[in-house]
Amino acid sequence: MTDTPVTLESTLTCPACGHAQTETMPTDACQWFYECSACHTVLKPKPGDCCVYCSYGTVACPPIQQGDSCCG
């Protein structure tokens, strides 16, 4: 683990409609699903990614930022 500050906000961009919304990431759990507030598409992680923030966000989830495996 590193002492680098962890960024808790990430902007998710919906691949279906392009809507972008900034959300606060949970620090105690991975988020596997996210419903777009514009088109209501439910986002799921891409293959190989651990959560929706790693797939669609501007910032990876806190465990990945700290050099850990996600939710592991």
Side-chain angles (χ1 to χ4, degrees):
M1 193 184 301
T2 179
D3 290 333
T4 304
V6 173
T7 302
L8 296 179
E9 287 193 346
S10 183
T11 301
L12 291 166
T13 301
C14 177
C17 73
H19 177 74
Q21 183 152 337
T22 301
E23 299 286 351
T24 300
M25 295 182 278
T27 57
D28 59 348
C30 279
Q31 188 162 340
W32 289 298
F33 302 102
Y34 177 82
E35 183 177 348
C36 175
S37 61
C39 73
H40 303 289
T41 295
V42 176
L43 308 182
K44 299 174 195 166
K46 294 177 183 175
D49 285 342
C50 65
C51 66
V52 293
Y53 292 103
C54 289
S55 292
Y56 304 104
T58 54
V59 178
C61 67
I64 295 297
Q65 290 181 54
Q66 294 175 324
D68 297 331
S69 62
C70 191
C71 303

